[in-house]
Amino acid sequence: MTATDSRQATRADSPEPLRQPRVISFSHRLSRWDLKLSPYLYISPFFIMFAIVGLFPIAYTAVISFMDWDLVRNEGTFIGIDQYVWILTQPHFWTALRNTFSIFLLSSVPQLILATFIAAVLDRNIRAKTFWRMSVLVPFVVAPVAVGLIFNAIFADQSGLINTWLEGLGLTAIPWHVEPFWSHVAIATMVNYRWMGYNALILLAAMQAVNRDYYEAATVDGAGPIRQFFAITMPSLKPTLIFVIITSTIGGLQIFDEPRVFDQFGRGGAAQQWLTITLYLYDIGWGQWNFGRAAAMAWILFLLILGIGLINLLVTRGLVRDEGRRGAASRRQIRAQARAAQKQVKEAQR
Amino acid sequence: MSTLGTPTPLAIVEESIPNARQRRRGARTTRIRGSRPGFWVYATLGVVFISAVFPLYWSFVIGAGDSTTLRNDFAWIPGQNFIANVTAVMNNEAVNFWPALWNSIYSSFLIAASVVITSTLAGWAFAKLRFRGGPALLVFVVATMAVPQQLGVVPLYILFSELGWTGQIGAIVIPALTSAFGVFWMTQYLRQAVPDELIEAARVDGASMLRTFWTVGVTAARPAAAMLFLFTFVGAWNNFFWPFIVLDRQNPTLPVALSLLQSNYFVDYSVVLAGVILATIPLLLLFVFAGKQLVSGIMAGAVKG
C-alpha cells in the first residue's frame, strides 16, 4: 500500500504539460479516498444484509423467547424463562431429542464408513474417473424433499419396495412407519443416500493429498493394501473425518425435510416416532402458532449445537496435531478448520 | 524412490497381492503407473452407481404406472402413464406446478447471482485489500456460518408479515442474497489466485480501486464464481424449511409444491413420484451439464482448506 502511494506521488509530480496541476491533486485526493473507502464499500453488502437478516433475527429470537407472543397485535409480554421451562418439561421435546440423536447416529456412522470405503475405491487407478465421481454425486442434486418422497414410497408399510422384497423372500414385512427404530432407519437411509457421495468426494480429496511415496515404501516393506489403508490412509484422514463428523452433527441436529415428508401428515408420526427437534419447532411455531415457545426452542437447539460443536472441537484439537498438512474440507469443514486454527493461535499467544 | 532400485520386489508384491495399492498420482515407476485395478473395484463402483441411480429410476417406473403399480410385485419397466400422471400433477390445484417451477427458477437464479456478486466483492476486499479491522471482520464472517437457520426464522417471519411479504418470493430471496460461505470461498480463492504485484501494477498505472477490481479481480475470480453460482443455485433450489414456513400454498417453490402433493389424505404414489421426477429433471439437466464442475468444486473446496 505504501509502495503504491509513493509511486503515485511520483507520478503526480512528474510534469504533464496538458493537465492542470489542480486537477491532478484533486484526482490524487480522490484516489486516496478510493484506497481507504473501497474495501469497506466492497464488504458492506454482506454486512448490511447480515445485520438485517442475520444479526437482528438472532437477537430478536432471544427477546421473543422470554415473551408470550401475541400474533394479533404482533407484540409480546415479558414472562421470563417460562417458555424454556415449558419446553424442557414437555415429554415430546425429549422424544424429539432422542429421535434426532438416533437418526443422526444411524445416518452418520454408516455413512462415514461407506463414504470412506467408496473414496478408497475411487482413489484407485480406475478408468473413467470423472464418470464414477459424477455418478456418486447424482443424489446430491436431488432435493431432500424429493429424496424423502421417493424413499417414503420405497419404505411404504403396505406396498413399498423393501417390504415387497422381504415378503418375496419369505420374511416378515417391517413396520417402517410404526416402530420408532425402523422409522429412524428409513429416514437415516434418505440422509445417507443424499450425502454419501458428497462426503466420499471430500474424503477422496483428502486421500489424494497423501504423499504417494508412503505407499510405495509400505509396499516395498511388504504391507498389504488393508494394512496400508489402516496404517497410512486412515491416520492421514483423521482430521478430515473429524470435520466431516462435526458438519454432519450440525446438519443432523437440524434435520427437517426428510422426517417432514415421511408421511402425509408431517407431524412426526402418530406417536412421535420420528418427531425431530426442528419438526417440533415448526409444529410449535406454525402448527400451534406460539412464537415465544418456538423462539425458546430455537435457542435450545442452538445451544445444543454449540455444546456438541465445542465437545467435537476439544476432541479435535488433540487429534489434529498429529497431521498438520492435511487439507480436505468441505465448506463446513473449512469453517471448522478455521475455527480450530484460530483457537490454536490464541493458545499459542497465551 | 531410490529404494526402488529394482522392480523385482514390486513385481512380486503385485503378483502375490492382486489388490496392492496402485497409485495414479505420484506413482513414478512404470510398473505402478501402468497397472489397473481388478474386477472387484468396478463391481463395487457399479453397486454404488446403481444405488445412486436406482431410486430415481424406480420412482420413474412407479411414476409412469398407475395407482396399482406399486402393489404389483416387481415393476421394472416404466408403464405408459407418465404423461397422464404428469398432467395430473400439473392440473392439481393444490400443487400449482407451473408457478412453483417458475418461482424456483428465478428465485434460485437471483439468489445465486446476488451471492456471486456480493461474495466476489467482499472476497476481493478480504483477500487483496488491506484495511483496518479486515482480518477481524473475516473471522466474524466465518463465525456466522455456525449459526443454524432455525435461530432466525421466528423474527424473520414476524418481519416479513409486518411488511406483508409472507407468501411472496421476495421473502425467500432477500434473506439469501448474501452468503458467509460465499465470502469465505471467494476470499480463499482470490488470495491464492491473484499475485499482489498484479494489483500494484494496475494501481501504478492509475487504475481506480473499482477498475482494478473489475479488470484484475473479476477476471481472476471467474472459475470460483462459476462454482459458487452452481452450489448456491443447487442449495437455493433444494431449500425447503424457510420457504415452507414463509410461502403460502398458492405461490410455492418446487420442494414446497412437492410436499403438498403428498399432504392430501389420499396418496397416489404414481402421481407423487411423477411429480418428483418432473421437479427433479431441471436439476438433473443442470447436473448433466455441470456435474464435472460440481465434482471438482467439492474436491477443490476440500483441498484448499
Side-chain angles (χ1 to χ4, degrees), chain B residues 68-92:
Chain B
T68 63
T69 316
L70 197 59
R71 270 164 251 279
N72 292 344
D73 274 359
F74 292 96
W76 293 111
I77 313 294
Q80 309 290 314
N81 286 347
F82 189 64
I83 303 297
N85 289 333
V86 161
T87 317
V89 172
M90 288 174 179
N91 294 337
N92 190 329

Side-chain angles (χ1 to χ4, degrees), chain A residues 61 123 125 212 327 329 331 334, chain B residues 23 35 52 151 184 231 262 302:
Chain A
T61 305
D123 195 29
N125 184 22
R212 302 284 145 153
R331 26 182 102 173
I334 293 168
Chain B
R23 294 285 162 170
S35 68
L151 202 54
F184 187 62
F231 277 105
Q262 193 187 231

